[in-house]
């Protein structure tokens, strides 16, 4: 493949884009750094000027994904408006929407085995993104009597686990795991059951 005419700065982006494409096709361990270079249309030597190895490249993709994810979650949360409950539910839907729209980023972030502690920048981006859900949980939990209130970190972790499970089993077309219900409905009903158990929404009549 002939080299493309990259200007300073966008070779890194091209390499990350190539990495994401390969992740979607083969998974995070199904390609080499040389193949990522080929996907971007450059020589392997060019890759090593930006990344030390495949994991370094995937970590860069994950960081970029967390930055986008954080922006999306912040937008969904909307400063807790129009209500703490609506804002919290919106963050759950945003999680699912991100996973469906950006599978390469999602895999790099949550399924590649790359630690968020790999670099300060990655840790900061990941902490900020997941902190939005915890902030939404903390705000909503104020409506629960103090003696019955779970820690916000636990509250958000439960919803994160529920959201991740719906994504993994039903939103990514995994073989043999078909659901009679849309993933959005599964997530909404699951969150509803959880919140009803905490007394945050009224019981079914």
């Amino acid at each position: 493949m002939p080299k493309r005419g990259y200007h300073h700065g966008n070779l890194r982006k091209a390499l990350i884009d190539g990495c994401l494409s390969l992740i979607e096709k083969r998974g995070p361990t199904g390609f080499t750094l040389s193949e990522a270079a080929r996907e971007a249309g450059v020589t392997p030597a060019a890759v090593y000027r930006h990344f030390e190895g495949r994991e370094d490249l995937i970590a860069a993709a994950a960081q970029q994904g967390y930055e986008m994810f954080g922006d999306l979650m912040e937008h969904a949360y909307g400063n807790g408006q129009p209500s703490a409950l609506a804002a919290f539910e919106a963050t759950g839907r945003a999680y699912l929407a991100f996973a469906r729209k950006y599978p390469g980023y999602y895999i790099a972030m949550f399924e590649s085995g790359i630690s968020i502690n790999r670099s300060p920048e990655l840790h900061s981006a990941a902490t900020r993104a997941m902190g939005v859900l915890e902030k939404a949980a903390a705000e909503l939990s104020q409506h629960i009597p103090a003696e019955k209130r779970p820690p916000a970190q636990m509250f958000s972790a439960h919803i994160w686990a529920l959201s991740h499970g719906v994504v993994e089993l039903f939103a990514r077309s995994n073989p043999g795991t078909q659901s009679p219900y849309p993933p959005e409905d599964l997530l909404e009903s699951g969150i509803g059951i959880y919140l009803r158990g905490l007394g945050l929404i009224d019981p079914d009549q």
Side-chain angles (χ1 to χ4, degrees):
M1 184 180 296
K3 297 180 185 178
R4 300 170 189 165
Y6 291 113
H7 298 288
H8 179 72
N10 63 2
L11 173 55
R12 180 182 174 88
K13 180 182 183 304
L15 291 169
I16 291 174
D17 289 346
C19 169
L20 292 168
S21 176
L22 289 168
I23 285 175
E24 289 185 30
K25 295 173 188 174
R26 307 182 192 174
T29 61
F31 65 95
T32 65
L33 204 59
S34 294
E35 288 173 312
R38 191 179 308 121
E39 190 79 11
V42 299
T43 64
V47 184
Y48 285 101
R49 288 199 290 269
H50 291 271
F51 304 104
E52 294 181 359
R54 182 181 61 194
E55 289 191 353
D56 198 27
L57 176 56
I58 294 174
Q63 180 185 329
Q64 195 173 90
Y66 274 117
E67 289 166 355
M68 294 167 57
F69 183 52
D71 290 343
L72 179 65
M73 293 289 277
E74 286 281 10
H75 179 76
Y77 178 61
N79 292 318
Q81 300 301 318
S83 70
L85 176 58
F88 183 80
E89 291 175 331
T91 60
R93 290 192 295 271
Y95 187 103
L96 178 57
F98 180 88
R100 300 189 79 171
K101 187 172 182 178
Y102 303 109
Y105 281 119
Y106 186 88
I107 294 169
M109 293 155 61
F110 298 117
E111 300 175 18
S112 66
I114 299 295
S115 170
I116 64 169
N117 295 314
R118 186 178 180 88
S119 73
E121 296 79 12
L122 176 55
H123 182 270
S124 177
T127 301
R128 174 212 165 206
M130 299 315 300
V132 179
L133 184 57
E134 188 172 329
K135 178 169 59 177
E139 179 66 24
L140 184 56
S141 67
Q142 295 306 305
H143 297 271
I144 304 172
E147 67 275 11
K148 298 180 180 179
R149 186 183 306 157
Q153 196 169 32
M154 178 185 290
F155 192 160
S156 62
H158 287 161
I159 298 301
W160 182 10
L162 175 61
S163 303
H164 190 76
V166 169
V167 167
E168 287 302 299
L169 293 175
F170 304 114
R172 296 254 310 279
S173 301
N174 286 350
T177 52
Q178 295 183 348
S179 168
Y181 306 103
E184 292 82 0
D185 291 352
L186 285 171
L187 182 58
E188 183 177 351
S189 62
I191 291 176
I193 291 168
Y194 182 84
L195 297 181
R196 190 171 292 114
L198 291 174
L200 287 165
I201 57 177
D202 294 333
D204 289 334
Q205 300 300 317

